[in-house]
Amino acid sequence: MDPLSALRDYTIRGDLDKIHRVKDEFRFSNQYSFPCKYETAYRSKQGNLYTLETLVFFVKNRHIKIPEYIKIATNQGIPTVTFVDRKPLLDYLEGRTSSSEAIEFVIPTSNEVEEYRPDDPQFFNSLPISNSVGNLGFEENSEVRVSEDGADLMSLIRASERPLRDRNTILQCRNKDFYGIYVGALRREQEKPQQRKDVNVGGNKGRPVGVDKDEGFHSGPKAKMLKVGSKIGEGVPIILVPSASNTLITIYNVKEFLEDGVFIPTEVKMKQMKGQKPECVTVQKKFSRDKDKVMTAYEVRDKPSTLKADDWDRVVAVFVLGKEWQFKDWPFKDHVEIFNKIIGFYMRFEDDSIESAKVVKQWNVKIISISKNKRHQDRAAALEVWGKLEEFVARSRS
């Protein structure tokens, strides 16, 4: 990953505190490391490429006043971001825009990249021994022998390597929902009619009908969907959001808010998705205060009219709009029954008037406030939602 994309990823996730400067390089947790003076792909209006040092200092101090920012940067000898570049650069790093004309990713040409072929001994023989050893951090006169086949040189290369990914983090891909695929496969398996029976016919003795003899099978229990308790129902729990676009949390931006702890306005997400509205979104709990690594998946929907009777048993939470018509045709007699069986959340900006929450204060819902501009506070709001939701689910199981 290039340093600009890595910095954007850490900014959106709210993990800037995990970027540390060690001598002349920045270390992004235990994932990446780049030289401080590395020129990123973001070009300023003046024509120069911003260095990683400049961008890291800027995004970590974006909340202080400009004169103070310039003064501190000057005292530390760090080039500053110009005034005209501040807003578009910040919009890109914080995820409000997905691209920028100022970004120029350079892809190396084939002439610039020399092919590595371990099966070709001439590749190692063509390397200058002094340069190859020196690049690995060894002195020319040190007692290092490089054999003709290059075996010792490879051991030196391996000794200097540093892993950036392990077998656990390699599956953590952004915008890839492997758990949703797993849940969908289990659901399709459960919907198949139970027609397999053991028969004693020729070579198929003890083998279910329709199973090839080389396929194999086991007699263990069949895998089941996630069961979250008798009071909630069996299957993946459902979270309902309003279908109206004038509310803070919608089907467009709920994934970024609950998974990454970042609030992106609905209109921004609609432009990024080019108006393609998803019918269902799967969100996973990826972070918590206690560093719980257990993944929990939820389906998010915004059309209650499409839910079947069994689906309503899986509904655990709803983001309320504050309007009575949101609950029209729901299979409950009143608000008391709704918010006794389903936990409700009302999202609002912290500086909105009290009148905006006047109706929902009469209901048994949790009011969650976020800032209009301070995106680093979104993570705390998302954690509050997860905490209330998990507490409600645990109470409903008992």
Side-chain angles (χ1 to χ4, degrees):
M1 178 177 287
D2 67 282
L4 181 62
S5 299
L7 179 60
R8 182 175 186 264
D9 183 46
Y10 272 62
T11 303
I12 293 176
R13 296 196 331 238
D15 289 340
L16 289 175
D17 57 331
K18 296 182 181 180
I19 302 177
H20 302 285
R21 180 166 184 165
V22 180
K23 295 183 179 180
D24 293 330
E25 67 176 13
F26 282 109
R27 294 183 181 176
F28 291 65
S29 185
N30 61 346
Q31 291 183 300
Y32 318 105
S33 64
F34 304 100
C36 296
K37 303 296 183 180
Y38 193 101
E39 289 187 342
T40 67
Y42 201 97
R43 187 174 296 279
S44 71
K45 297 291 185 181
Q46 297 178 349
N48 61 294
L49 293 174
Y50 284 120
T51 63
L52 181 60
E53 179 184 42
T54 296
L55 297 188
V56 170
F57 182 82
F58 166 70
V59 75
K60 284 191 173 184
N61 296 275
R62 62 190 185 280
H63 301 299
I64 66 177
K65 296 182 179 179
I66 297 179
E68 184 180 357
Y69 157 74
I70 296 177
K71 180 179 179 182
I72 298 176
T74 303
N75 292 338
Q76 297 184 15
I78 301 175
T80 59
V81 174
T82 62
F83 178 79
V84 294
D85 289 331
R86 285 177 64 91
K87 188 180 185 307
L89 174 58
L90 198 58
D91 287 343
Y92 175 74
L93 291 178
E94 292 185 340
R96 288 187 289 273
T97 57
S98 58
S99 62
S100 173
E101 296 180 354
I103 299 175
E104 301 176 0
F105 287 110
V106 179
I107 301 177
T109 62
S110 58
N111 295 331
E112 298 174 349
V113 181
E114 188 170 3
E115 182 181 6
Y116 162 55
R117 298 185 60 189
D119 57 339
D120 184 7
Q122 297 300 323
F123 176 82
F124 298 100
N125 296 334
S126 63
L127 292 176
I129 296 178
S130 59
N131 292 340
S132 301
V133 176
N135 289 338
L136 296 174
F138 298 94
E139 298 179 359
E140 292 187 32
N141 297 327
S142 60
E143 296 182 0
V144 177
R145 296 182 180 180
V146 180
S147 60
E148 293 182 358
D149 59 358
D152 290 340
L153 180 59
M154 288 303 300
S155 65
L156 295 179
I157 293 176
R158 293 191 181 97
S160 65
E161 288 178 345
R162 180 174 55 198
L164 296 180
R165 294 281 188 178
D166 56 25
R167 62 187 181 89
N168 294 321
T169 60
I170 196 66
L171 293 177
Q172 296 177 358
C173 303
R174 292 183 61 81
N175 300 324
K176 298 294 183 182
D177 192 359
F178 297 112
Y179 191 90
I181 297 174
Y182 168 72
V183 169
L186 288 181
R187 178 182 299 168
R188 287 191 295 270
E189 186 68 20
Q190 282 191 329
E191 291 175 351
K192 292 180 180 179
Q194 303 296 325
Q195 296 180 348
R196 293 184 176 180
K197 298 180 181 180
D198 292 342
V199 293
N200 296 323
V201 180
N204 287 333
K205 183 177 181 180
R207 184 180 297 116
V209 174
V211 179
D212 186 78
K213 65 179 181 179
D214 295 327
E215 181 180 351
F217 73 100
H218 61 84
S219 58
K222 183 179 179 180
K224 294 183 177 181
M225 301 288 289
L226 174 65
K227 188 172 183 179
V228 295
S230 59
K231 291 188 178 181
I232 293 180
E234 184 174 343
V236 180
I238 296 175
I239 299 175
L240 296 177
V241 296
S243 58
S245 59
N246 59 344
T247 183
L248 296 187
I249 299 299
T250 64
I251 194 107
Y252 291 98
N253 62 1
V254 65
K255 190 175 183 69
E256 284 77 10
F257 178 70
L258 292 181
E259 284 193 354
D260 302 325
V262 177
F263 172 75
I264 302 177
T266 297
E267 57 271 17
V268 175
K269 288 298 298 180
M270 290 178 65
K271 291 181 180 178
Q272 294 177 359
M273 300 173 67
K274 297 180 180 179
Q276 297 180 356
K277 184 178 180 180
E279 295 182 1
C280 177
V281 173
T282 301
V283 299
Q284 302 171 1
K285 181 190 176 186
K286 293 184 177 180
F287 55 87
S288 64
R289 293 187 179 93
D290 57 358
K291 305 300 181 183
D292 183 12
K293 295 184 179 180
V294 177
M295 286 286 190
T296 305
Y298 295 81
E299 290 182 5
V300 181
R301 300 176 180 270
D302 67 346
K303 294 182 179 179
S305 58
T306 62
L307 297 181
K308 301 177 182 178
D310 294 341
D311 294 332
W312 280 104
D313 294 333
R314 296 191 287 128
V315 178
V316 295
V318 56
F319 283 84
V320 301
L321 183 61
K323 306 293 184 181
E324 294 283 350
W325 54 261
Q326 182 182 1
F327 309 105
K328 184 181 179 181
D329 299 328
W330 282 36
F332 306 99
K333 60 181 181 180
D334 53 26
H335 295 103
V336 177
E337 184 180 3
I338 291 176
F339 299 119
N340 183 42
K341 296 182 178 181
I342 302 172
I343 185 171
F345 296 102
Y346 177 72
M347 300 292 301
R348 64 184 294 270
F349 287 126
E350 58 186 5
D351 54 352
D352 283 350
S353 63
I354 302 178
E355 293 295 325
S356 62
K358 184 177 180 180
V359 176
V360 297
K361 282 188 174 182
Q362 303 175 13
W363 303 341
N364 182 23
V365 301
K366 311 299 179 184
I367 299 178
I368 308 295
S369 299
I370 61 175
S371 173
K372 285 186 177 180
N373 304 310
K374 300 175 182 178
R375 296 279 67 83
H376 64 282
Q377 297 180 2
D378 296 341
R379 185 182 179 90
L383 282 172
E384 185 177 0
V385 172
W386 282 121
K388 298 293 185 183
L389 176 56
E390 291 180 332
E391 180 182 347
F392 173 80
V393 172
R395 187 169 61 249
S396 300
R397 289 177 180 174
S398 59

